[in-house]
Amino acid sequence: MRSCGVRPGDALILAARWVVPAYALLLMLLFVFDRFDPGSEPTFDLAGSIALVAWVFAESGQTFGVVAIATVLLLIMVTRSGPSLRSRMLEMAVMIVVSIVVLYGGKLLNDHVVKPAVGVARPNIVQLSELDLLGMDVEDFYDMSQTSRSEYLDTIKTETGFGDLVMRPQVRDHWVKETAFARPSGHSLASLTFATFYLSMAISALTG
């Protein structure tokens, strides 16, 4: 009878077979095409409902969104018919461990190696500088450590946003928290990594 489980020893190799090429493709596209000008990106009312929706989607790419989706996918994989309960539980444990390694390893690589190498400033930081609300040049801002950037923004924020720039408190606090370089997008790369990893696990489970 054909085995439908994911062998622990093959999990990282299988994930790398799907995730690494997809990640490399995104980086290649980033370097092949001209860099986007952050100042040219469309803007909208930061105190309006669209800003709140955008904040919800942005935050969903953080811990609670990933955990929720991962839980659903794991339940689907574990409750399917075929493999023994022991095999399915082992499979779930392997997927959880590999997911953490791949996702957080990719985040560390992106935040500390790829983003600094590309060096594209976040659009909101560019906007604050252009409005003379940042108190320094964009280059000087990014010369600070990421922790220092957040601490600095926390000192210049107001109850309504930054200076005359009014925004929802959730958006303001998101700006204070997220101070890494803009691209490659951590949310996009995490989504790509997450999707390709679980797709590879599903294909392996279905094909044996």
Side-chain angles (χ1 to χ4, degrees):
M1 182 176 178
R2 186 180 64 179
S3 173
C4 295
V6 178
R7 293 189 296 271
D10 296 336
L12 281 172
I13 296 175
L14 183 60
R17 188 182 303 168
W18 288 79
V19 174
V20 173
Y23 189 91
L25 177 60
L26 273 186
L27 293 181
M28 181 180 68
L29 291 175
L30 178 68
F31 284 103
V32 168
F33 293 103
D34 291 336
R35 296 179 183 178
F36 294 106
D37 177 11
S40 67
E41 296 184 352
T43 59
F44 48 82
D45 181 11
L46 295 173
S49 57
I50 295 179
L52 181 61
V53 172
W55 172 79
V56 170
F57 273 98
E59 288 297 310
S60 70
Q62 301 289 345
T63 306
F64 79 86
V66 171
V67 171
I69 297 173
T71 300
V72 172
L73 292 176
L74 286 172
L75 287 175
I76 292 174
M77 294 289 291
V78 171
T79 57
R80 74 188 190 281
S81 59
S84 65
L85 177 61
R86 180 179 178 181
S87 295
R88 283 177 284 161
M89 295 303 293
L90 176 61
E91 187 176 282
M92 181 176 68
V94 170
M95 292 176 72
I96 290 174
V97 171
V98 175
S99 293
I100 293 173
V101 171
V102 170
L103 286 172
Y104 285 95
K107 174 177 172 57
L108 291 175
L109 176 65
N110 191 43
D111 286 349
H112 298 285
V113 179
V114 180
K115 280 188 174 184
V118 177
V120 178
R122 299 183 79 89
N124 58 303
I125 300 301
V126 174
Q127 183 181 17
L128 288 176
S129 178
E130 291 177 344
L131 295 174
D132 294 325
L133 298 175
L134 187 60
M136 63 177 70
D137 293 334
V138 173
E139 292 77 12
D140 292 333
F141 179 80
Y142 278 103
D143 282 341
M144 296 189 292
S145 68
Q146 189 168 339
T147 300
S148 297
R149 294 174 212 154
S150 293
E151 291 174 349
Y152 175 73
L153 290 181
D154 193 51
T155 63
I156 66 172
K157 73 180 183 182
T158 66
E159 290 187 2
T160 58
F162 292 91
D164 296 331
L165 187 61
V166 179
M167 62 187 67
R168 286 181 174 270
Q170 299 94 330
V171 176
R172 177 203 61 199
D173 293 342
H174 184 79
W175 284 23
V176 170
K177 181 178 67 173
E178 300 291 341
T179 58
F181 285 99
R183 296 189 179 86
S185 167
H187 288 80
S188 297
L189 290 176
S191 299
L192 173 72
T193 302
F194 193 80
T196 51
F197 171 71
Y198 277 92
L199 177 62
S200 67
M201 293 298 102
I203 291 175
S204 176
L206 292 174
T207 59

